Amino acid sequence: MYSVNVRDHFMIAHSLRGEVFGPAQRMHGATYVVDLELRRPGLDRNGIVVDIGLATRVLHTVLAELNFRNLDEDSRFAGCNTTTETLARTIFDRVAARIAAGELGQDAHGLSHLKVSLHESHIAWAAYEGSLPERGAA
Amino acid sequence: MYSVNVRDHFMIAHSLRGEVFGPAQRMHGATYVVDLELRRPGLDRNGIVVDIGLATRVLHTVLAELNFRNLDEDSRFAGCNTTTETLARTIFDRVAARIAAGELGQDAHGLSHLKVSLHESHIAWAAYEGSLPERGAA
Amino acid sequence: MYSVNVRDHFMIAHSLRGEVFGPAQRMHGATYVVDLELRRPGLDRNGIVVDIGLATRVLHTVLAELNFRNLDEDSRFAGCNTTTETLARTIFDRVAARIAAGELGQDAHGLSHLKVSLHESHIAWAAYEGSLPERGAA
Amino acid sequence: MYSVNVRDHFMIAHSLRGEVFGPAQRMHGATYVVDLELRRPGLDRNGIVVDIGLATRVLHTVLAELNFRNLDEDSRFAGCNTTTETLARTIFDRVAARIAAGELGQDAHGLSHLKVSLHESHIAWAAYEGSLPERGAA
Amino acid sequence: MYSVNVRDHFMIAHSLRGEVFGPAQRMHGATYVVDLELRRPGLDRNGIVVDIGLATRVLHTVLAELNFRNLDEDSRFAGCNTTTETLARTIFDRVAARIAAGELGQDAHGLSHLKVSLHESHIAWAAYEGSLPERGAA
Amino acid sequence: MYSVNVRDHFMIAHSLRGEVFGPAQRMHGATYVVDLELRRPGLDRNGIVVDIGLATRVLHTVLAELNFRNLDEDSRFAGCNTTTETLARTIFDRVAARIAAGELGQDAHGLSHLKVSLHESHIAWAAYEGSLPERGAA
């Protein structure tokens, strides 16, 4: 199995609901350093997992939708806690949708698995990973 | 699959028995920077893998039993080499026992997998990972 | 010259005023991983720069005053941009005041210099450093 | 499952063929910081995954064959792009061959899985991982 | 004294002349992860050392002149070894010239000192630092 | 001012005397990841601060005298606490003596300053730095 990882980051404000969050129930914020790992069993005709330039751009585009925002005011998260785990899943889903829409190019149909990790400090991180739906060759 | 990781460290003295260890057969020591990764297929009702405050406390408690000690004098390791691999397994078992005892809270019954990594320098680390026994909901 | 460094972090929400900040004029947030470096020309009678336990506690106390807060609502920052540089200076001043008040112990009168670095992502950080006022021995 | 990781690096020049590589089609170069992860279900009689001294030596030997070279002039890569992914696979294959030849010692027959990761910058890395062929005990 | 640091990278091929370089006399290459640190005694009217967006852009522009190239073919380095130290100095000089030309904005006249660090692996780096010429206010 | 840094590590056991050390008064140990920084105002005739191969070897030799040992049994530390600060100074002095003895080569007479940093965990490190005595050219 081959994998490629690209890194970027975003900075947001939010608050969390639930006693389990203690002081994080207050409005605060975080920098999330994000690792996007893309996996596939074999390489494409260029000898790569993915066009790393396109992968970097897709990740940056997805993070730009969140960056420099107060997530408490983002209606897409209404009624849902924007925990690190939830944000990892959100980014996974949005990247997966862009792959399905062809934004990583035709050779990206061979990608089988994604992992999105969000580092919130030097001592804590969270991730979501899963398989991509199989797709026919372009 | 979701995962969350918390980091802590401990510092011990020990010696290792066996020619394969060369100069590490002498009394020496190590700082181990420890990553505890907890995985589960779905999130709990708060949208998290685990209460990260509790996970941090459990890891700290387990490491405190080892920290600032000479492991050659710890009877629980009698007759066994305290290699990095063995220590990773020991920490895994002790954290798993505390999870089973409810120290990560009732929502932690959904945890399915742990990984314990011990970084002993900038160029070497070891880990033990495995599934947790399935448990009924609380 | 000797130096010792301890690391901790805090997570805040804020917004910045001024066109130079572009999208960071919106409410957003950051994790700041903080390095506190303490310097002195010679060691104390225990062979150390500072009691690292006390230094860790003082840094944690200072950061707890900021952690999990919306800095736009903190009256101490009224009329001032809470840039990374300004926060580094604020933490420097608060740590220096606690040193002057004896919170690092009597041996800490030998400390001559502090540096406070705030890492806001994997690609950007800021710092403030300066001399401490000379003090007579206790 | 147990794992051990050792780290080393190598520095090469090369160029890549294919429009997808953009400016990397020009002669350029890279430092690759390499992580070799070795996994096995149980420990050997010394309580370790592998003799870490031997593992370090084998990795260094394999990287020395590539280090300080222009890969465009290496006939073993003729007609093939020396992408990070391809180099990860090459190193995997060469380490696996040395394990099969006994260079990690007789206890290494228990190794079941390798992962080779190449970090090419602070924001990009690639890896190849796979199972080792089962072998009878020595 | 305040400081701000931004990080970027570039990837080059080159060879070095002189017995001291051993196998690095052969054509090879490197990834350099570059830290640009900018210092000044006081902050500008926005409460910052420098517009970090502009600083990031200037560093990227300077590195783009070197990135994905064979430095042996760059006439600006004719007759000179492109050691890590020399490259750090080259980048320092080019950034300083762009600051003098106003590319970091008018408020940047207060910058007093630059440091350029090039990380060539996880175990080696080099840097050049120095004062900037004093300039009158804009 | 130019600087070059090389990194290595060593692993020791020791205990510390004095109430200030709390549980570290017990026999325990540490991994120290060591950064040796060498500075000089101008480069030598090869365009470098120092032969990095020699610097790596000298650092390794100095650390080998400490590595895999119980420092409580090292008579050179009799009556002295082997704190991180003291160890940084010891390594500084031993490297400086080897430079004076010519082990970094004749071109090393231009070195003006050393800094030795010991990282004992992901959240704590200490350093000693100072000028080297001026020496005539060889």
Side-chain angles (χ1 to χ4, degrees):
Chain A
M1 180 65 74
Y2 291 92
S3 53
V4 159
N5 193 95
V6 292
R7 176 170 281 192
D8 201 339
H9 75 289
F10 67 106
M11 305 173 84
I12 55 90
H14 65 161
S15 61
L16 299 169
R17 280 157 302 127
E19 279 184 33
V20 70
F21 297 108
Q25 294 175 86
R26 299 198 296 253
M27 169 65 61
H28 66 289
T31 306
Y32 293 109
V33 175
V34 183
D35 284 321
L36 170 64
E37 184 186 273
L38 308 107
R39 294 185 210 152
R40 62 191 294 170
L43 299 179
D44 74 9
R45 58 194 161 141
N46 288 301
I48 53 177
V49 165
V50 70
D51 178 337
I52 200 171
L54 289 182
T56 299
R57 207 174 312 156
V58 162
L59 178 60
H60 194 75
T61 301
V62 166
L63 299 187
E65 296 167 357
L66 302 167
N67 201 13
F68 292 123
R69 295 190 186 278
N70 177 356
L71 299 186
D72 290 1
E73 298 177 349
D74 185 330
S75 59
R76 289 165 299 185
F77 294 114
C80 128
N81 262 335
T82 54
T83 61
T84 312
E85 294 91 325
T86 298
L87 292 172
R89 175 64 183 266
T90 298
I91 294 166
F92 177 99
D93 287 342
R94 294 184 185 179
V95 169
R98 287 178 182 269
I99 293 172
E103 294 192 24
L104 289 186
Q106 291 310 319
D107 287 327
H109 65 264
L111 292 169
S112 58
H113 193 98
L114 295 184
K115 181 174 183 179
V116 175
S117 304
L118 270 63
H119 304 259
E120 73 179 57
S121 74
H122 63 304
I123 54 169
W125 51 99
Y128 180 75
E129 62 182 297
S131 296
L132 291 172
E134 281 194 50
R135 294 186 293 148
Chain B
M1 179 64 73
Y2 291 91
S3 52
V4 158
N5 193 97
V6 291
R7 176 170 282 192
D8 201 339
H9 76 288
F10 67 107
M11 305 172 84
I12 55 89
H14 67 160
S15 62
L16 299 169
R17 280 158 301 127
E19 277 183 34
V20 69
F21 297 107
Q25 294 175 87
R26 301 196 297 252
M27 170 64 62
H28 66 288
T31 306
Y32 294 109
V33 175
V34 183
D35 285 321
L36 170 64
E37 183 185 273
L38 308 106
R39 295 184 210 153
R40 63 191 292 169
L43 298 179
D44 74 9
R45 58 195 161 139
N46 287 301
I48 53 178
V49 166
V50 70
D51 179 337
I52 200 171
L54 289 182
T56 299
R57 207 173 311 156
V58 162
L59 178 60
H60 195 74
T61 301
V62 166
L63 299 188
E65 297 167 358
L66 302 167
N67 201 13
F68 292 123
R69 295 191 186 277
N70 177 356
L71 300 186
D72 290 1
E73 298 177 350
D74 184 331
S75 59
R76 290 165 298 185
F77 294 114
C80 127
N81 262 336
T82 55
T83 60
T84 312
E85 293 90 327
T86 298
L87 292 172
R89 176 64 183 269
T90 298
I91 295 166
F92 176 100
D93 287 343
R94 295 184 185 180
V95 169
R98 287 176 182 270
I99 292 172
E103 294 192 25
L104 289 186
Q106 291 310 319
D107 287 328
H109 66 264
L111 292 170
S112 58
H113 193 98
L114 296 185
K115 182 174 183 179
V116 175
S117 304
L118 270 63
H119 304 259
E120 72 179 58
S121 75
H122 62 305
I123 55 170
W125 51 99
Y128 179 75
E129 62 182 298
S131 296
L132 290 172
E134 281 194 48
R135 295 186 292 150
Chain C
M1 180 65 73
Y2 292 92
S3 52
V4 159
N5 194 96
V6 292
R7 176 170 282 191
D8 201 339
H9 76 288
F10 67 106
M11 304 173 84
I12 55 90
H14 65 160
S15 62
L16 299 169
R17 279 157 303 126
E19 278 184 33
V20 69
F21 297 108
Q25 294 175 87
R26 300 198 296 251
M27 170 65 62
H28 65 288
T31 306
Y32 293 109
V33 175
V34 183
D35 285 321
L36 170 64
E37 183 185 273
L38 307 106
R39 295 184 209 152
R40 62 192 293 168
L43 299 179
D44 73 10
R45 58 195 162 139
N46 288 301
I48 53 178
V49 165
V50 70
D51 179 336
I52 200 171
L54 289 182
T56 299
R57 205 173 315 155
V58 162
L59 178 60
H60 195 75
T61 301
V62 166
L63 299 188
E65 297 167 358
L66 302 167
N67 201 12
F68 292 123
R69 294 191 186 278
N70 177 356
L71 300 186
D72 290 1
E73 297 177 350
D74 185 330
S75 60
R76 290 166 299 185
F77 294 115
C80 127
N81 262 335
T82 54
T83 60
T84 312
E85 293 91 326
T86 298
L87 292 172
R89 176 63 184 267
T90 298
I91 294 166
F92 176 100
D93 287 343
R94 295 183 184 180
V95 169
R98 286 176 182 270
I99 293 172
E103 294 191 25
L104 290 186
Q106 291 310 319
D107 287 327
H109 67 264
L111 293 170
S112 58
H113 193 98
L114 296 184
K115 182 174 182 178
V116 175
S117 304
L118 269 64
H119 304 258
E120 72 179 57
S121 75
H122 62 305
I123 54 169
W125 52 98
Y128 180 75
E129 63 182 296
S131 296
L132 290 171
E134 282 194 47
R135 295 186 294 150
Chain D
M1 179 65 72
Y2 291 92
S3 53
V4 159
N5 193 96
V6 291
R7 176 170 281 192
D8 201 339
H9 76 288
F10 67 105
M11 304 173 85
I12 55 89
H14 66 160
S15 61
L16 298 168
R17 279 156 303 128
E19 279 183 32
V20 70
F21 297 108
Q25 294 176 86
R26 299 197 297 252
M27 169 65 60
H28 66 288
T31 306
Y32 293 109
V33 175
V34 183
D35 285 321
L36 171 63
E37 184 185 271
L38 307 106
R39 295 186 210 152
R40 64 192 292 169
L43 299 179
D44 74 10
R45 59 195 161 138
N46 288 301
I48 53 178
V49 165
V50 71
D51 179 337
I52 200 171
L54 289 182
T56 299
R57 206 174 313 154
V58 161
L59 178 60
H60 194 75
T61 301
V62 166
L63 299 188
E65 297 167 357
L66 302 167
N67 201 12
F68 292 124
R69 294 191 187 279
N70 178 356
L71 299 186
D72 291 1
E73 297 177 350
D74 185 330
S75 59
R76 289 165 299 185
F77 293 115
C80 126
N81 262 336
T82 55
T83 60
T84 312
E85 293 92 325
T86 298
L87 292 172
R89 175 64 183 266
T90 298
I91 294 166
F92 177 99
D93 287 342
R94 293 184 185 180
V95 169
R98 287 177 182 270
I99 293 172
E103 294 192 25
L104 290 187
Q106 290 310 319
D107 287 327
H109 66 264
L111 292 170
S112 59
H113 193 97
L114 295 185
K115 181 174 183 179
V116 175
S117 304
L118 270 64
H119 304 258
E120 72 179 57
S121 75
H122 62 306
I123 54 169
W125 52 98
Y128 180 75
E129 62 181 296
S131 297
L132 290 171
E134 283 194 47
R135 293 185 294 148
Chain E
M1 179 66 73
Y2 291 92
S3 53
V4 159
N5 193 97
V6 292
R7 176 170 281 192
D8 201 341
H9 76 288
F10 68 106
M11 305 173 84
I12 55 88
H14 66 159
S15 61
L16 299 169
R17 279 156 303 126
E19 279 184 32
V20 70
F21 298 108
Q25 294 175 88
R26 300 197 296 251
M27 170 65 61
H28 65 289
T31 306
Y32 293 109
V33 175
V34 183
D35 284 322
L36 170 63
E37 183 184 272
L38 307 106
R39 295 185 210 153
R40 63 192 292 169
L43 299 179
D44 75 9
R45 58 195 163 138
N46 287 302
I48 53 177
V49 165
V50 70
D51 179 337
I52 201 171
L54 289 182
T56 299
R57 205 173 314 156
V58 162
L59 178 60
H60 194 74
T61 301
V62 166
L63 299 187
E65 296 166 358
L66 301 167
N67 201 12
F68 293 123
R69 294 189 187 279
N70 178 356
L71 299 186
D72 291 1
E73 296 177 350
D74 184 330
S75 59
R76 289 165 300 184
F77 293 114
C80 126
N81 262 335
T82 54
T83 61
T84 312
E85 294 92 325
T86 298
L87 292 172
R89 175 64 183 267
T90 298
I91 294 166
F92 177 99
D93 287 342
R94 293 183 185 180
V95 169
R98 286 178 183 269
I99 293 172
E103 293 191 25
L104 290 186
Q106 290 310 318
D107 287 327
H109 66 264
L111 293 170
S112 59
H113 193 98
L114 295 184
K115 182 174 182 179
V116 175
S117 303
L118 270 63
H119 304 258
E120 72 179 58
S121 75
H122 62 305
I123 54 169
W125 52 98
Y128 180 75
E129 63 182 297
S131 297
L132 290 172
E134 282 194 47
R135 295 185 292 149
Chain F
M1 180 66 73
Y2 291 91
S3 53
V4 159
N5 193 97
V6 292
R7 175 169 282 191
D8 202 340
H9 76 288
F10 67 106
M11 304 173 85
I12 55 90
H14 66 160
S15 61
L16 299 169
R17 279 157 302 126
E19 279 184 33
V20 69
F21 298 107
Q25 293 175 89
R26 300 197 296 253
M27 170 64 62
H28 66 287
T31 306
Y32 294 110
V33 175
V34 183
D35 285 321
L36 169 64
E37 183 185 273
L38 308 106
R39 294 183 211 154
R40 62 192 294 170
L43 299 179
D44 74 10
R45 58 195 161 139
N46 287 301
I48 53 179
V49 165
V50 70
D51 179 338
I52 200 171
L54 289 182
T56 299
R57 206 174 313 157
V58 162
L59 178 60
H60 195 74
T61 301
V62 166
L63 300 187
E65 297 167 358
L66 303 167
N67 202 12
F68 292 123
R69 294 190 186 278
N70 177 356
L71 298 186
D72 290 0
E73 297 177 350
D74 185 329
S75 59
R76 289 165 300 184
F77 294 114
C80 129
N81 262 335
T82 54
T83 60
T84 312
E85 293 91 325
T86 298
L87 292 172
R89 176 63 183 268
T90 298
I91 294 166
F92 177 99
D93 287 343
R94 293 184 186 180
V95 169
R98 287 178 182 270
I99 293 172
E103 294 191 24
L104 289 187
Q106 292 309 318
D107 287 328
H109 66 265
L111 292 169
S112 58
H113 193 98
L114 295 184
K115 182 174 184 179
V116 175
S117 304
L118 270 63
H119 304 259
E120 73 180 56
S121 75
H122 62 306
I123 54 169
W125 52 99
Y128 179 74
E129 63 182 297
S131 297
L132 291 172
E134 282 194 48
R135 295 186 293 150

